[in-house]
Amino acid sequence: MKTFTNVALSMATAAASFVILPSGASAQSTMAYPEKCKSHGMDMPKTDMSAAGMQMGEMTDYQKASMEGMKNMGMNMMQGMMKKDADVSFVCGMIAHHIGAISMSEAELKYGDNDEAKQMARKVIEAQKKEIEEMSKWVDKEAN
């Protein structure tokens, strides 16, 4: 279990170490991560910009939006993975993963210019929102 915790913390640190950006309109604001998936009292690693491989000034607006979505997804997945029940952990991790997919798709719709890619992004958003709703209902029913 200690190894799993160390690996999970390393993953969260890696996800968070890219950048710390101001929150914008993202999947986080439209699809809430279920309260029952959060691990309260868990200290999440704090990072600063010096850990980033690329400085914010060098990033495009698209890259900044994508990185914000990845940061949020990683933090939520980390919390979901800490659930002791394997089923709850899996579903909570998948909810976070789907929220990340929606965030990436929203960035594509805002910054992309290819109609085919934008159509794929719309399909992802539609499908992932439906699955998040189903999984969130399951979590409300099954998780303690």
Side-chain angles (χ1 to χ4, degrees), residues 8-25:
L9 286 173
S10 296
M11 288 173 50
T13 301
S17 69
F18 287 106
V19 289
I20 303 298
L21 299 171
S23 294

Side-chain angles (χ1 to χ4, degrees), residues 2-105:
K2 189 173 185 175
T3 301
F4 173 77
T5 301
N6 289 340
V7 170
L9 286 173
S10 296
M11 288 173 50
T13 301
S17 69
F18 287 106
V19 289
I20 303 298
L21 299 171
S23 294
S26 70
Q28 288 293 348
S29 62
T30 59
M31 300 297 298
Y33 192 61
E35 196 64 31
K36 287 185 175 184
C37 287
K38 296 177 182 177
S39 297
H40 299 286
M42 197 173 118
D43 291 331
M44 298 307 289
K46 304 275 190 272
T47 58
D48 63 16
M49 285 304 296
S50 63
M54 179 186 282
Q55 297 300 316
M56 274 184 62
E58 298 173 18
M59 290 185 168
T60 67
D61 288 341
Y62 171 77
Q63 289 170 322
K64 290 175 186 176
S66 294
M67 295 305 286
E68 176 66 12
M70 288 177 64
K71 178 184 70 122
N72 290 333
M73 179 185 69
M75 298 304 244
N76 285 336
M77 286 181 76
M78 174 68 193
Q79 290 207 8
M81 289 185 333
M82 292 295 104
K83 296 299 181 188
K84 295 193 185 301
D85 181 285
D87 301 316
V88 173
S89 179
F90 165 74
V91 174
C92 288
M94 289 306 297
I95 291 170
H97 184 266
H98 282 26
I99 290 172
I102 291 171
S103 180
M104 290 173 62
S105 297

